[in-house]
Amino acid sequence: MNVSVWKTKVDEVLKRSGKSKETLLPCLEVIQEACGYIPQEAITYLRENLDVPSIDIYGVITFYGMLTTKEQGKYVIRICDSLPCYLNKSDGVLGVIEKELGIEAGETSADRQFTLEVVPCLGLCDKAPAMMINDKIYGNLTEQSVKKIIAELNC
Amino acid sequence: MEKILTKNVGKPNSQDIEVYLGGGGYKALEKALGMKPKDVIAEVKKSKLVGRGGAAFPTGLKWEFTRRESAEPKFIACNADEGEPGTFKDRVILLNDPHLLLEALIIGGYAIGASKGFIYIRGEYYREIETVEKAVEQARTKGYLGDNILGSGFSFDVQLYKGAGAYVCGEETALLESMEGNRGCPDCRPPFPAESGFLGKPTAVNNVETLCNIPAIMINGGEWYSRIGSPDSPGPKLYCLSGHVNKPGVYELPMGITLRELIENHGEGVKGEFKAALPGGVSSCLLANLDVKLDYKSVARAGSMLGSGAVIVINEDTSIIDVAKNTMEFFARESCGKCSVCREGTRRAREILTRFANGGGKAKELDLMLELGEVMYDTACCGLGQAAMNTTASAIRLFREEFEQKVRK
Ligand SMILES: Cc1cc2nc3c(=O)[nH]c(=O)nc-3n(C[C@H](O)[C@H](O)[C@H](O)COP(=O)(O)O)c2cc1C
Ligand code: SF4
Ligand code: FES
């Protein structure tokens, strides 16, 4: 991991919002965004700059679904399984994605192309079943449409 | 009904400040800044506006409590964490009319005596975050944010916080914990945020939709507002209709239309035959009666709660056990784990419901789950645990025979 990728971003946040604990979450978010995960060096850097013990930083990271210390795939697929999506057959769509990618929910593919996550409501219930791939929204999914979406990302 | 909350949705470039100003935007702020803060609050109290985030607490009263505190500084935080399954209304405003929200937030800050406001938006709302960030920049450039706003002597600025994927952070004390850089675990109350909120200072936490009623109240008066919709809990409501309906979506309608009207006149009917509906997302109790009026009091009288207005429709082809199990999987995963009764209760209920779904339930577990629901309601620290068993308990009460058919012979 190229340190400068996250460090400049963190320094920007620290400059804008100050070196206090209230800046921890915004810092973690820019690191996650820049690297796709939160590397150990970044945690050390935050510990030193925010004066927050590492254990508390880990505590925060593990609390939030969008933060992780594990390297993620290039595409993070977040498929919703909350009730409105479930009623519109999200489980069938999830099954197809798992089969197409050869991984289960919570896993990352060996080639680091895909991470698959099952998440609660994304606020897209009018387009149920719905998912996001990175910051992009996909709605009204069917077993056919999801196959096509993945095929397009794969090439 | 004339639209109040979504009047700008659909206008080209509705998110741009020039378009907003062209439609009379920031006039309410001008008017409010010409009033005394306590008169702004009096007007909001007269409107009988209650919170649209779930708890339906009177907004004017919340502002008065926050204003009355002597500690300084004070804060106002807008809750845009929108996480209750079936809720997708705040997103419509964030994306289409961010200046309506900003105008309201500034008025709120003025009313309670805060010089800083926050908007906490869930992290998955990428486009909404970008839109609000742009709107804040525009409002700063035009002098609606910053020092001495419109020459009134009142200074106010706004900071955005992004959530990072935790439903419980929508609970107001968890939201403040999250902003402080902690795990988003709710706190026990009292003290309420109005007394001790962000960094221990008095903080008013208001939902996006709640706030967006404020500009219209400023312009037309609380009296006018109180005559819209249901006299008990007046105003317009953004109903989020989802599940087994032909036309899901967000509908702005006067508070108190019936479930039937919402589904048939706006949602173009049920996909299949109607079985039941959840009026306030998966934290609410099932309703099997289509003639219930969807205002806070009527829904409560019918044994459920309107909450955020997430109306999820369920058809006859659906197993109610699967519905209950789905909601419990959600709560078991999203429980923050602080109270053992919620952490363990949601997991055990999930296990029991999974057994029922597979035809291996035990008869005595039905009453056990009802009792568990009562214990959680009485003893859990926050609304998540208190409401987690609602859908399941109402499913057992309304459709007991369905469960009994799944008891292991
Ligand atoms: C588990 C849980 C999640 C909540 N999520 C939200 C939310 O996403 N948005 C929201 O506005 N209120 C949410 N609330 C309600 C807030 O605690 C709080 O009552 C509300 O933000 C106050 O604003 P209001 O008075 O304008 O409704 C949630 C409550 C609980 C218990
Ligand atoms: S009720 Fe549940 S979610 Fe709420 S504080 Fe307790 S454990 Fe956490
Ligand atoms: S339930 Fe899936 S997006 Fe809301």
Side-chain angles (χ1 to χ4, degrees), chain B residues 44 74 83 109 121 303 322 324 359 381 392 401:
Chain B
V44 177
K74 292 180 179 136
I121 311 185
D322 289 345
C381 165
T392 300
E401 61 300 351

Side-chain angles (χ1 to χ4, degrees), chain B residues 78-316:
Chain B
C78 170
N79 189 340
D81 198 42
E82 190 152 80
E84 176 69 31
T87 313
F88 46 101
K89 62 187 176 72
D90 296 341
R91 140 173 264 158
V92 173
I93 294 173
L94 298 169
L95 206 51
N96 294 286
D97 210 356
H99 286 288
L100 178 65
L101 175 62
L102 286 179
E103 181 172 15
L105 190 65
I106 303 164
I107 296 171
Y110 177 69
I112 66 164
S115 57
K116 183 137 194 200
F118 302 98
I119 305 177
Y120 187 103
I121 311 185
R122 62 178 300 181
E124 297 88 345
Y125 278 10
Y126 292 95
R127 271 174 64 209
E128 290 74 6
I129 291 166
E130 206 180 275
T131 308
V132 175
E133 270 171 354
K134 260 190 212 139
V136 169
E137 276 311 312
Q138 288 186 330
R140 270 192 202 128
T141 310
K142 290 267 179 189
Y144 295 110
L145 285 174
D147 289 337
N148 191 16
I149 296 169
L150 305 176
S152 63
F154 172 64
S155 302
F156 186 80
D157 206 5
V158 171
Q159 188 182 338
L160 256 62
Y161 262 92
K162 285 195 281 181
Y167 162 68
V168 73
C169 285
E171 196 282 336
E172 55 188 12
T173 59
L175 183 125
L176 298 169
E177 286 292 338
S178 173
M179 282 169 43
E180 288 172 8
N182 301 323
R183 288 166 72 86
C185 292
D187 298 322
C188 294
R189 277 144 299 164
F192 289 90
E195 187 191 336
S196 171
F198 184 58
L199 303 176
K201 302 296 180 192
T203 307
V205 183
N206 294 113
N207 168 260
V208 174
E209 181 189 352
T210 311
L211 285 172
C212 289
N213 287 286
I214 298 292
I217 294 172
M218 286 300 113
I219 295 288
N220 302 304
E223 181 69 35
W224 164 84
Y225 185 90
S226 71
R227 286 195 300 269
I228 301 169
S230 154
D232 283 342
S233 42
K237 179 81 195 80
L238 296 179
Y239 293 100
C240 312
L241 188 58
S242 71
H244 292 139
V245 285
N246 288 312
K247 200 168 152 247
V250 174
Y251 300 100
E252 176 177 352
L253 297 164
M255 189 80 80
I257 62 142
T258 65
L259 181 56
R260 186 188 304 279
E261 287 168 321
L262 176 64
I263 296 175
E264 286 174 8
N265 304 350
H266 302 279
E268 295 181 359
V270 180
K271 263 193 217 160
E273 288 294 314
F274 177 79
K275 179 168 188 167
L278 290 166
V282 301
S283 296
S284 65
C285 292
L286 290 157
L287 292 176
N289 175 2
L290 280 165
D291 294 311
V292 174
K293 284 190 173 170
L294 297 177
D295 62 70
Y296 287 97
K297 290 231 168 98
S298 305
V299 176
R301 249 180 260 129
S304 186
M305 64 165 196
L306 184 60
S308 57
V311 181
I312 307 173
V313 179
I314 298 159
N315 72 14
E316 270 296 346

Side-chain angles (χ1 to χ4, degrees), chain A residues 21-22 24-25 29 59-60 62-66 81 83-84 86-88 120-126 132 135, chain B residues 85 88 91 122 124-126 161-165 178 180-184 242-244 248 278 313 322 326 333-334:
Chain A
K21 197 170 184 196
E22 297 90 75
L24 175 59
L25 186 57
E29 285 168 339
V60 169
T62 52
F63 188 83
Y64 294 98
M66 295 175 77
D81 73 341
L83 190 59
Y86 171 77
L87 294 172
N88 286 290
C121 182
L122 290 163
L124 300 168
C125 333
D126 53 341
M132 295 184 74
D135 59 357
Chain B
F88 46 101
R91 140 173 264 158
R122 62 178 300 181
E124 297 88 345
Y125 278 10
Y126 292 95
Y161 262 92
K162 285 195 281 181
S178 173
E180 288 172 8
N182 301 323
R183 288 166 72 86
S242 71
H244 292 139
L278 290 166
V313 179
D322 289 345
N326 177 275
R333 215 161 51 191
E334 296 302 319

Side-chain angles (χ1 to χ4, degrees), chain B residues 168 185-186 334-339 342-343 380-386:
Chain B
V168 73
C185 292
E334 296 302 319
S335 166
C336 82
K338 175 171 150 171
C339 327
C342 167
R343 184 185 64 239
C381 165
C382 87
L384 188 152
Q386 288 159 11

